[in-house]
Amino acid sequence: MRIGIFGTGGMADALGTQWARHDLMVSGRSDPAPLAERLGAATGTWRETAAFADVLLLAVPAVAIGEVLAEAGPLAGKVLVDCSNDPSLTGAPVASRIATDAHVVKAFNLAHVDVWRMTPPAFDGRPLSVPLCGDDPAALDAVSTLVRDIGAKPVHAGGLDRAALLEATAAFAIGLWFAGEDAQAILTPIAPTR
């Protein structure tokens, strides 16, 4: 698979490292060369990376998304994986602010960057489940492959209209974690039987 990585920060590094067996190209607001060298990837402008890739990882701050996508140019037929969260937690959800002709899939936004560095990301013997929200079956299949590549389990969580729920879940869970609570403990593993 040809994967373009928009961004050079922690998420770009963690997920790019997991996907290094694929053909990768990196572009960024800061110099992409150091990350590309670590990943064995090529570098390019936003537009070159978009043209190269079948799947694009959008791993830039929420405030930069509009500028990056404008510079990337047309993305028709591409899969765009949105892993972002808006730390200000105000205004419209990130997913609703992405104006593109790509097939957008919301994924990888519920776990801390260090979780994506785990090989595989598993807890108590259970692989991490990664919810995916998107409207295009082929795009969901492509992202499901990338989820399985890191040893996690893809979970189809509905259309892109449900992406705002993933972002709200991230805001809620991250708030609990920062408060020192075990956010995972609020979800029961199975429904009780009677």
Side-chain angles (χ1 to χ4, degrees):
M1 192 179 300
R2 292 163 64 100
I3 302 171
I5 299 175
F6 286 167
T8 57
M11 289 294 285
D13 181 33
L15 291 171
T17 298
Q18 296 282 14
W19 299 332
R21 72 178 185 86
H22 296 284
D23 293 327
L24 304 176
M25 182 178 280
V26 180
S27 57
R29 297 183 315 148
S30 60
D31 182 9
L35 176 59
E37 186 175 331
R38 278 196 309 279
L39 300 177
T43 61
T45 65
W46 303 116
R47 192 171 294 267
E48 290 166 341
T49 300
F52 162 84
D54 303 309
V55 176
L56 292 156
L57 174 66
L58 183 61
V60 298
V63 298
I65 290 173
E67 175 188 339
V68 168
L69 293 180
E71 291 184 26
L75 300 177
K78 307 285 183 177
V79 176
L80 183 69
V81 182
D82 169 27
C83 70
S84 61
N85 288 311
D86 187 346
S88 70
L89 307 176
T90 61
V94 173
S96 70
R97 289 185 259 158
I98 296 177
T100 180
D101 49 359
H103 301 294
V104 178
V105 176
K106 184 77 177 186
F108 302 107
N109 73 307
L110 291 184
H112 187 273
V113 64
D114 288 339
V115 170
W116 305 120
R117 297 182 196 285
M118 297 170 65
T119 306
F123 300 89
D124 295 326
R126 291 185 319 172
L128 180 68
S129 291
V130 180
L132 312 176
C133 290
D135 297 326
D136 183 77
L140 288 165
D141 286 346
V143 179
S144 292
T145 296
L146 295 176
V147 169
R148 285 189 291 272
D149 279 354
I150 66 172
K153 178 185 173 192
V155 176
H156 291 218
L160 194 58
D161 61 325
R162 295 179 58 87
L165 297 174
L166 281 183
E167 293 176 25
T169 300
F172 182 74
I174 291 167
L176 290 175
W177 289 324
F178 275 110
E181 300 295 337
D182 180 3
Q184 186 180 16
I186 67 173
L187 300 173
T188 59
I190 58 172
T193 57
R194 293 184 186 233

